[in-house]
């Protein structure tokens, strides 16, 4: 809507469904980047509030506004945004998150100076609903680490990535979840180099509503299919994506499961916060949270966390084994 036809160096793509109270700051963090040469493609994927009104008040002609006729989900929205992108590079950003002002400057410079890389992400700072720091997750900048660990677990934060807009790999529409994991593994199977920068370039908002529990079986299904297809491509040179049937493999959560999901949401959110506090070395905060949750009910994992909070060397050992660093 606002954007002219001049090609930009970066196309920033963001799909929006919720996050009404955080969306202004999220958009502002992109518009205030020190690197100015970009277009910002924002897709309204069924917001319950007037997203266009919020966008118009910025009066920035770098914004390209698109609205889906109905909610189609993140993956299909990203496919539309990629097709619309004119930039040499494509950067992801999620509603509710905050990109630090030098993010694009650092990432653009990195890709310009490292032609062998197809995609990079960065470290992140997790924040809560009140902008308080939960912890920092420091990414490993060694591309060999990424290549070896990615088939085991996703080690690039989706909202931090920037990649070359050369059509070498795309999001695949059947992946309702784990679309980023399938995307990365597709690039790796084509021998492209992926990596991270150790700088924290994004604040990722973690709130109860940002984590879905009722769809846990779906998330696991797609994560496992992404791995399966990767190993198929490595062994046979192709995968069985085209024949993947989704509805027959995933059961729809019933009403009782949804009700349980809603009641468990806050509990699990607090449990996740404890995990991050513990493994980032904030053991006193973690211990306090553990004791509060154990008053609600007994939980074996929390009991193990409590024990670990008195054994900091054990926490450091687990981090080393996993190849992750929390601060």
């Amino acid at each position: 809507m606002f954007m002219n036809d001049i090609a930009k160096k970066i196309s920033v793509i963001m799909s929006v469904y919720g996050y009404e109270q955080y969306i202004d700051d999220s958009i502002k963090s992109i518009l205030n980047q020190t690197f100015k040469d970009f277009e910002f493609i924002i897709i309204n994927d069924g917001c319950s509030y007037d997203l266009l009104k919020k966008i118009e008040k910025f009066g920035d002609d770098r914004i390209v506004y698109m609205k889906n006729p109905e909610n189609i989900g993140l993956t299909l929205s990203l496919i539309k945004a990629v097709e619309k992108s004119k930039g040499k590079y494509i950067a992801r950003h999620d509603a509710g998150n905050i990109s630090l002002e030098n993010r694009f400057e650092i990432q653009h410079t990195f890709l310009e100076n490292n032609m062998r890389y197809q995609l990079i992400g960065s470290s992140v700072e997790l924040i809560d609903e009140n902008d308080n720091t939960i912890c920092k997750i420091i990414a490993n900048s060694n591309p060999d680490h990424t290549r070896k660990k990615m088939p085991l677990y996703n080690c690039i934060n989706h909202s931090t990535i920037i990649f070359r807009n050369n059509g070498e790999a795309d999001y695949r529409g059947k992946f309702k979840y784990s679309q980023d994991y399938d995307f990365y593994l597709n690039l790796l199977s084509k021998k492209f180099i992926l990596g991270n920068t150790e700088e924290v370039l994004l604040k990722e908002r973690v709130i109860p509503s940002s984590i879905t529990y009722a769809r846990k079986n779906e998330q696991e299904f797609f994560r496992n299919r992404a791995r399966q297809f990767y190993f198929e491509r490595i062994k046979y040179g192709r995968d069985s994506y085209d024949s993947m049937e989704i509805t027959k493999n995933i059961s729809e959560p019933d009403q009782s499961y949804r009700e349980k999901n809603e009641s468990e949401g806050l509990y699990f959110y607090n449990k996740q916060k404890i995990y991050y506090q513990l493994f980032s070395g904030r053991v006193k905060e973690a211990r306090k949270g553990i004791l509060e949750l154990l008053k609600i009910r007994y939980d074996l994992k929390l009991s193990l966390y409590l024990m670990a909070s008195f054994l900091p060397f054990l926490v450091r050992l687990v981090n080393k084994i996993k190849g992750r660093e929390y601060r």
Side-chain angles (χ1 to χ4, degrees), residues 30-264:
I30 297 298
L31 299 180
N32 289 343
Q33 289 289 305
T34 56
F35 185 93
K36 304 296 184 183
D37 192 7
F38 62 84
E39 61 176 346
F40 187 11
I41 301 172
I42 303 176
I43 295 187
N44 183 338
D45 190 32
C47 289
S48 59
Y49 57 94
D50 193 343
L51 177 60
L52 179 57
K53 184 177 180 180
K54 287 180 173 292
I55 289 172
E56 286 178 329
K57 73 180 182 181
F58 289 102
D60 196 308
D61 64 4
R62 293 173 296 180
I63 297 177
V64 181
Y65 176 77
M66 300 169 64
K67 184 175 182 179
N68 295 331
E70 60 183 2
N71 175 257
I72 63 174
L74 177 61
T75 306
L76 296 180
S77 294
L78 291 180
I79 290 172
K80 288 179 64 174
V82 168
E83 290 174 349
K84 184 76 173 177
S85 297
K86 301 185 182 77
K88 179 179 180 180
Y89 303 107
I90 296 176
R92 280 280 289 114
H93 185 73
D94 282 315
N97 292 345
I98 304 294
S99 283
L100 301 191
E101 64 178 8
N102 61 343
R103 176 191 165 189
F104 295 161
E105 185 174 353
I106 290 173
Q107 292 183 315
H108 177 267
T109 299
F110 182 94
L111 288 179
E112 287 286 290
N113 294 335
N114 295 273
M115 299 303 295
R116 63 197 187 103
Y117 279 78
Q118 173 68 15
L119 174 152
I120 58 164
S122 78
S123 300
V124 298
E125 177 183 340
L126 302 185
I127 59 174
D128 64 16
E129 60 271 28
N130 298 314
D131 294 334
N132 298 313
T133 298
I134 299 173
C135 79
K136 294 178 181 179
I137 302 177
I138 307 303
N140 192 308
S141 61
N142 187 338
D144 289 333
H145 175 274
T146 303
R147 177 179 55 82
K148 293 174 182 178
K149 296 295 184 181
M150 188 64 77
L152 303 177
Y153 62 87
N154 191 341
C155 49
I156 299 179
N157 185 293
H158 195 196
S159 196
T160 70
I161 67 169
I162 181 170
F163 56 95
R164 300 184 190 279
N165 186 15
N166 53 13
E168 289 293 349
D170 299 301
Y171 294 103
R172 299 200 286 184
K174 290 183 182 181
F175 274 88
K176 183 177 180 181
Y177 299 110
S178 295
Q179 64 284 116
D180 58 329
Y181 195 32
D182 178 65
F183 181 56
Y184 305 151
L185 290 174
N186 254 303
L187 288 172
L188 282 179
S189 62
K190 293 180 178 181
K191 309 300 183 183
F192 284 105
I193 295 177
L194 318 181
N196 284 295
T197 60
E198 290 186 1
E199 295 100 326
V200 172
L201 299 180
L202 181 113
K203 294 184 178 182
E204 180 177 14
R205 195 172 301 280
V206 181
I207 57 178
S209 62
S210 70
I211 307 173
T212 56
Y213 308 95
R215 299 293 182 177
K216 190 175 181 180
N217 59 331
E218 283 187 273
Q219 293 167 340
E220 185 176 354
F221 170 81
F222 287 113
R223 185 166 56 247
N224 290 338
R225 292 295 81 74
R227 289 195 191 99
Q228 173 192 326
F229 294 155
Y230 169 76
F231 288 112
E232 287 177 356
R233 290 190 300 272
I234 296 300
K235 187 173 183 178
Y236 305 112
R238 63 185 185 283
D239 64 35
S240 56
Y241 169 81
D242 290 338
S243 61
M244 178 172 70
E245 295 186 29
I246 300 171
T247 55
K248 291 183 179 181
N249 290 284
I250 305 174
S251 59
E252 183 72 18
D254 58 24
Q255 183 61 33
S256 63
Y257 191 95
R258 292 192 186 97
E259 291 173 356
K260 181 180 179 182
N261 168 68
E262 293 175 3
S263 65
E264 293 289 293

Side-chain angles (χ1 to χ4, degrees), residues 251-280:
S251 59
E252 183 72 18
D254 58 24
Q255 183 61 33
S256 63
Y257 191 95
R258 292 192 186 97
E259 291 173 356
K260 181 180 179 182
N261 168 68
E262 293 175 3
S263 65
E264 293 289 293
L266 186 58
Y267 179 88
F268 190 82
Y269 165 70
N270 286 322
K271 192 173 174 180
Q272 281 293 101
K273 282 184 70 174
I274 288 168
Y275 172 88
Y276 290 126
Q277 288 169 344
L278 178 62
F279 285 92
S280 62

